Amino acid sequence: MNTSPSEPIDSNLTSGENKSFWTASTEPIIIEKLKENIKTDVLIVGGGISGLTTAYCLLKAGRQIVLVEDGYLGSGETGRTTAHITCALGDRYFELEKIFGKEKAMLAANSHTKAIQFIANTVKHENIDCNFKRVPGYLFLSGNDTKETLDKEYTATKNAGLLTEMLEQVPALASEEGKWAIKFPEQGQFHIMKYLKGLTEAIIGMGGKIYTETKAEEISREGAKANGFEIKAKHIVVATNTPVNDWVAMHTKQWAYRTYVIAAKIKKGTWPYALWWDTGDIDSQWIGASYHYVRLEELDDTNDLLISGGEDHRVGQADDENIPEEDRYIKLVEWTKKRFPVMENLEYKWSGQVVEPIDSMAFIGKNPGDENIYIITGHSGNGMTHGTLGGIILTDIITGKENPWIDLYSPSRITFNTAGDYLHEVGNMVAQYADWVTKGDVKDTNELKPGQGGIISSGLKKIAAYRDEENNLHTCSAVCPHLGAILQWNAEEKSFDCPAHGSRFTTEGKVINGPAITDLKKLEVKEEKSLQQSHSIEEELNKTI
Ligand SMILES: Cc1cc2nc3c(=O)[nH]c(=O)nc-3n(C[C@H](O)[C@H](O)[C@H](O)COP(=O)(O)OP(=O)(O)OC[C@H]3O[C@@H](n4cnc5c(N)ncnc54)[C@H](O)[C@@H]3O)c2cc1C
Ligand code: FES
């Protein structure tokens, strides 16, 4: 498999230890660091699909932009996606109808269809070599769901004006014999990092300024600071997946989930290019019920790559279902092999973070209470289209152009019919603070072998401890700097994850996912030398056996 589990996270490159196929198969997109004070019309924070599309659209509309990215371009969740480009919404059109009414569900369908078209046009116009294809998508029943779900969704998609079809078979999936599927025609797929590279070249070609390894801090209505320099701007777009401007309280309107991906070779031509999704686990304890999502990507002359995802859980809460992170991959392989029996050995595995909004639609628009700060967040599993819509909608707001989708996506909207889900998620969030009085998962630092981490209780203190491959111990406070929940160790991505609102930190305490904006506090922990030495001797003995 193309992963190197002993390397710590290179947070400039990606937000987890396991590399995705996209980042592993392309060169990192590095521009230059900001090295001077600068003034611009629009400052964009974040170099994923949302930030780069916003930069592209604003430049096309004649605006001047500066984009700053903490790591390299695509180093956030965009580089860890599976890049289905679709108007089939994970949260279902019949739910949208219930929450927003038929007219707005129709607007939602229209916006996602236009976003797919925008990507197709941009690929063509900018001549981006990113394997973009129009493909059909198929929504089929999960093992424990009933046909009623498909019937309801089919009617709602028709109400929303989509050209869906009800099929009596799930195309290409023999294991689903006798099950029905909804076909969504003219969806899309691409190699996301190649698309970002094309967008980047177009942005630079139009005179846009992009700075990588440049973290925006102290974001305000005047601009931000980065690398010790001032960036002055008339408008500020925060496109950081989870907003990192610290006065924003979006963490009470959306929840962070981890989702898992495996990728295996498959002989070219044995399966058609298409997107498949099941309707999800209806018995799931999570409001954002986990569903499976599968597609193919071109790999080489003889093989395609089968990319399959799912097995989600709330960040930092994998153990609540007694399924630790590593077992999620095993479950995913089992599920995928049953449906795609010709898949070969695993080439890649990785996980990533999706942000689930309370009412199914992303939050795109003016930050509540601000006139010149804008956010793009809450993409759910539809970040390719929501991120693209972010660029289109914000450009129209900033340039004063009318846009029919502004109210639908407004971060200030109030929605009804979501109270049950809201209370469930808030209850879950509050429950996470109980970790203050429970024991850590590791008794003391001597239990940690090289490459292992964990949470240690020491009196009233909670310590996030990690022993690196050279046997050096790294210790930080395990108290999340956002709102004080206790972090959990994620052994698969080698990070400390917050179960309350999804912030994540590297083994050395550097923040890699918001809403936290600061790193973990370093703590000095003295190890008992003799124990430490005996641990090393034991390791040496093991090596010689
Ligand atoms: C495993 C997985 C599968 C998915 N599959 C799909 C799919 O098939 N289809 C789909 O539509 N969506 C999918 N999604 C969702 C989609 O990938 C994301 O919603 C989308 O990529 C988010 O894009 P973004 O640009 O908003 O955020 P990001 O890509 O996370 O970009 C935000 C950037 O901001 C940077 N940043 C943060 N703080 C600062 C700061 N202070 N200063 C400067 N920069 C900063 C980060 O480094 C990061 O690069 C998937 C997600 C995952 C994890
Ligand atoms: S992310 Fe809010 S307390 Fe940790």
Side-chain angles (χ1 to χ4, degrees), residues 46 49-50 69-70 76-78 80-82 84 216 379 381-384:
I49 190 164
S50 304
E69 162 56 50
D70 186 12
E77 300 316 305
T78 300
R80 304 180 78 76
T81 189
T82 49
H84 296 219
H379 301 305
N382 293 92
M384 299 297 102

Side-chain angles (χ1 to χ4, degrees), residues 265-287:
K265 276 187 190 165
I266 195 163
K267 285 270 169 299
K268 239 186 183 38
T270 47
W271 238 272
Y273 293 113
L275 313 176
W276 291 269
W277 321 279
D278 72 7
T279 52
D281 178 6
I282 56 167
D283 297 328
S284 169
Q285 73 177 79
W286 314 112
I287 295 291

Side-chain angles (χ1 to χ4, degrees), residues 11 45-51 68-86 214-217 219 239-241 244 259-261 293 350-355 376-377 379-387 512-513:
S11 61
V45 183
I49 190 164
S50 304
V68 295
E69 162 56 50
D70 186 12
Y72 307 143
L73 299 177
S75 63
E77 300 316 305
T78 300
R80 304 180 78 76
T81 189
T82 49
H84 296 219
I85 312 168
T86 177
T214 300
K215 178 174 180 167
E217 290 172 296
I219 300 170
T240 51
N241 199 24
V244 293
T259 184
Y260 294 78
V261 181
Y293 45 99
W350 71 90
S351 67
Q353 194 114 325
V354 287
V355 186
I376 309 176
T377 186
H379 301 305
S380 193
N382 293 92
M384 299 297 102
T385 41
H386 271 144
I512 40 173
N513 282 112

Side-chain angles (χ1 to χ4, degrees), residues 482-541:
H482 178 231
L483 290 175
I486 301 299
L487 305 175
Q488 301 288 314
W489 171 240
N490 176 342
E492 263 301 316
E493 296 296 355
K494 298 227 164 127
S495 59
F496 291 102
D497 298 358
C498 181
H501 316 108
S503 292
R504 294 177 60 242
F505 304 85
T506 65
T507 48
E508 296 188 2
K510 187 179 173 217
V511 61
I512 40 173
N513 282 112
I517 54 170
T518 50
D519 297 342
L520 298 180
K521 220 165 37 193
K522 297 264 180 209
L523 287 181
E524 281 281 325
V525 171
K526 284 210 176 86
E527 287 200 273
E528 282 180 41
K529 248 333 187 210
S530 56
L531 281 173
Q532 180 49 26
Q533 270 163 5
S534 70
H535 168 81
S536 305
I537 289 162
E538 191 184 289
E539 285 292 302
E540 284 309 310
L541 277 175

Side-chain angles (χ1 to χ4, degrees), residues 142-158:
S142 63
N144 56 5
D145 206 350
T146 59
K147 170 119 188 309
E148 199 198 339
T149 303
L150 279 189
D151 288 338
K152 279 194 299 184
E153 185 61 355
Y154 180 59
T155 307
T157 56
K158 285 292 183 199

Side-chain angles (χ1 to χ4, degrees), residues 471-492:
N471 215 16
N472 303 309
L473 189 68
H474 302 269
T475 46
C476 295
S477 164
V479 179
C480 178
H482 178 231
L483 290 175
I486 301 299
L487 305 175
Q488 301 288 314
W489 171 240
N490 176 342
E492 263 301 316

Side-chain angles (χ1 to χ4, degrees), residues 401-472:
K401 205 170 146 200
E402 280 199 10
N403 181 306
W405 310 317
I406 291 175
D407 287 348
L408 178 67
Y409 289 100
S410 167
S412 300
R413 68 180 179 261
I414 296 169
T415 43
F416 303 98
N417 297 329
T418 54
D421 289 355
Y422 180 77
L423 292 175
H424 185 281
E425 292 288 23
V426 168
N428 177 303
M429 205 161 73
V430 171
Q432 302 316 314
Y433 287 89
D435 288 343
W436 268 98
V437 290
T438 55
K439 289 220 157 43
D441 51 8
V442 176
K443 261 216 253 75
D444 75 47
T445 54
N446 293 299
E447 274 187 21
L448 295 176
K449 298 208 171 87
Q452 286 183 344
I455 305 297
I456 300 171
S457 285
S458 168
L460 288 178
K461 276 208 182 95
K462 299 277 181 187
I463 302 163
Y466 175 71
R467 190 179 297 288
D468 69 23
E469 296 295 336
E470 280 77 49
N471 215 16
N472 303 309

